[in-house]
Amino acid sequence: MSAQKILFILFYSSIYNICNAQCNVPTTPYSSNIYYYNADANWDYQSNVYNYKIRYRILGSSSWLYKNNIDSLATTKNINNLQPLNTYIWQIRSYCDSAGLNYSQWSITDTFYTSTIHCPTISGIYTTNI
């Protein structure tokens, strides 16, 4: 390949990247407060973000579920209505404009398990008179 072609490719690539700049990928995704039916997704704050989107699914499933339009100042989002006793994977991306045309790649994947360790309880149903 000639030097002129290489220079053209490098020039075109740099112009393309400047014109189609992407948002920063949210970093350090991790799960917390994992319960039977819900869990918190957490990430590090990113500047110049309009909003975030989370995708999640049961490990092995091909269908993603989404949490959309997450506030730009947020660093955590509760994922609810989960199925107990399942392993979930999730990722997050940032959007840098209201039209949704400028967005980051998906973050690295995080995993959590909806276990019975934090099983929901019903209190006050059974009472005994002594």
Side-chain angles (χ1 to χ4, degrees):
M1 187 177 282
S2 73
Q4 286 178 326
K5 286 183 181 179
I6 292 172
L7 286 174
F8 176 76
I9 290 169
L10 290 173
F11 175 76
Y12 180 77
S13 296
S14 63
I15 295 298
Y16 179 82
N17 288 335
I18 290 169
C19 294
N20 294 301
Q22 292 187 341
C23 298
N24 291 329
V25 176
T27 57
T28 322
Y30 68 96
S31 306
S32 65
N33 300 320
I34 303 162
Y35 295 98
Y36 211 57
Y37 297 111
N38 59 51
D40 287 342
N42 307 276
W43 60 92
D44 288 342
Y45 171 80
Q46 298 294 315
S47 61
N48 302 319
V49 170
Y50 185 78
N51 62 20
Y52 296 99
K53 178 187 245 183
I54 291 175
R55 68 179 183 180
Y56 63 99
R57 67 181 181 192
I58 293 175
L59 185 64
S61 170
S62 60
S63 300
W64 289 101
L65 300 168
Y66 295 90
K67 295 286 185 179
N68 297 308
N69 301 317
I70 301 166
D71 187 86
S72 63
L73 298 175
T75 57
T76 188
K77 179 70 176 173
N78 184 263
I79 302 173
N80 54 6
N81 298 320
L82 301 175
Q83 294 181 24
L85 306 176
N86 277 284
T87 299
Y88 281 84
I89 60 173
W90 70 276
Q91 296 174 296
I92 185 169
R93 75 169 15 161
S94 55
Y95 286 82
C96 291
D97 60 55
S98 61
L101 300 175
N102 186 9
Y103 51 87
S104 72
Q105 298 294 319
W106 288 104
S107 70
I108 61 171
T109 302
D110 187 46
T111 306
F112 63 87
Y113 180 72
T114 53
S115 70
T116 58
I117 294 171
H118 299 290
C119 197
T121 61
I122 301 173
S123 61
I125 296 226
Y126 300 103
T127 59
T128 57
N129 294 327
I130 299 180

